[in-house]
Each structure stands twice: as C-alpha cells, then as structure tokens.
Amino acid sequence: VTNVDSVDKVYRILTRHMNLVGAVNPVGCECIKWTYKGNRHLEAGEVALAIDAYDKALATNYTNHQEGKVLLMRATAFLERASAHKLELRSIVQDMSKSVPTRSSLRLLYQQAALHPTLSVSILNRVLDDAHKQESIFLQTKYRHGLYQYALLHAARDALRATQLLPANTQSWLQAGEILSELWILPESVRYYEKAIEVDLSLAESVTAIVQRLRKRKEVYDNARAYGWPEDIVRLALDVAG
C-alpha cells in the first residue's frame, strides 16, 4: 500500500480492505485526525487553524487520556497566540516611548510660549495634540495587553485541566507552571513546578532553578506594588519589560 499519508486513509484500509470494522473506533480516528491536523497547523505557525482543529478533536469526547494530550497541544497554541500579542504589545510601547516629549523639550516649548505670546496658542495646541496621540497609543497598549492575558487564560484553563487528566505527565505540570507564571500567579506557579519534581525526580535541578527565578520575580512584583501602582498597570509594565 502506498500514499498512506492520513488517518482517513488508514481508517479506509482497515475497514474496507481488511474488514476490521469492529476493531477500529471511528470516534478515535476522528479525534486523532483533527489532532494531527492541529499539530501540522501549529508547526506551520497557523495558530488560529490549529486551535480550531484541536476544538474539533476535543468535540469528539474520545477518552480522557487523549483529551489530556489534545488540551496540552491547544494550551501550546494559545501560548503561541499570547507570545504574538506580547511582541505586538512591546512594539506599540516602543512607538509610544518615541512620541513622549522629554522634560527638556517641554521646558523649551514653554519658554518659547512665554517669550512669544503670539505663538503660545499654537504651541499649547501642539502639546495637547501630542497628549491626545499618546492617550490613543496607551489605549492600544491596554487593549493588546488584554488580548495577551486573554490568550494566557485560555492556555491556563487547558493546562490545568490536563494536569487532572494526565497526573503522571510531567509536561502538564510544567506547562501549567509556566502559564501561571506569565499570569503573575506566582505562588501557584511554584506549586505546579514542585509537583513536576514529585512526578519526575530527574527534573529537580532544572526546575529548582526555575523556582528560584520565580521567587525573585515575585519580589520584583511585590516591590512594584508597594509603590501603590494599580495591579493592572504593574503587570502591564512588567510584561513589557520582559
């Protein structure tokens, strides 16, 4: 048999040509077919198509074990989407930083307005126009950050469910820990990483290093919050910073 390059073709061979109808689960084939399609789309960077394919695989309701694997892959796809939003977020912030006038340039404008009263109205109008542009860019920043967090929440939902369905799978605990860290839910992130070590002791050295970095990350977050900044602004600033 040649050109067997899809789950559908394997299913047809087993059921039509080998008469193994009772030995092949059509629901399982459907689930695996969409899972493989999702994997191909994800490898090609087609995140939306990958998520759609994983949705279809999960809709078959084929075994908890397979569901856990598909959830892990869909969580990975949502992480890819979040990463793209984060890159766009940083680009917007970079553009915004270029539009913010320096203290010295503002001082110069006000000095010019004082020295040349006839120009003061146009100078102040320019300052106001710049402020409106900066406000617009800031709203774009908050919107993009919201999309980033929304994608992370979807990823977290899938990863956390995967830990329930695949408790012996270290990847499920590691992925949940990573996503919770990105959401700044740091104590819970540490617990999921520590659970990964319980499942596989060989991970102790590498995961312990991650946990130490997370504890330092929490110190940075707590110090930023101590200045009285709103939580959403602190998270935005730290996400942009890295």
Side-chain angles (χ1 to χ4, degrees), residues 87-97 137-138 140-141 144:
L87 286 174
E88 181 63 24
L89 172 66
R90 287 176 172 171
S91 176
I92 294 171
V93 171
Q94 187 175 19
D95 289 341
M96 182 172 67
S97 66
I137 296 174
F138 181 66
Q140 292 178 42
T141 301
R144 184 61 61 176

Side-chain angles (χ1 to χ4, degrees), residues 62-115:
Y62 177 65
T63 75
N64 285 347
H65 184 73
Q66 184 63 24
E67 179 186 355
K69 290 182 177 180
V70 178
L71 286 170
L72 278 177
M73 294 308 301
R74 192 170 69 175
T76 300
F78 277 117
L79 270 176
E80 289 288 331
R81 175 175 285 177
S83 178
H85 286 314
K86 193 171 187 177
L87 286 174
E88 181 63 24
L89 172 66
R90 287 176 172 171
S91 176
I92 294 171
V93 171
Q94 187 175 19
D95 289 341
M96 182 172 67
S97 66
K98 295 176 183 177
S99 69
V100 176
T102 63
R103 183 179 299 179
S104 59
S105 64
L106 282 175
R107 185 184 299 114
L108 181 61
L109 281 174
Y110 288 129
Q111 288 173 350
Q112 291 297 316
L115 291 172

Side-chain angles (χ1 to χ4, degrees), residues 173 176-178 180-181 185-197 207 210-215 218:
W173 298 102
E178 176 188 358
L180 290 172
S181 169
I185 308 176
L186 300 174
E188 288 77 5
S189 173
V190 168
R191 284 197 285 272
Y192 277 87
Y193 275 116
E194 290 175 342
K195 182 63 179 180
I197 296 176
V207 172
I210 293 173
V211 168
Q212 290 174 348
R213 288 196 297 271
L214 286 177
R215 288 182 173 139
K218 188 174 187 306

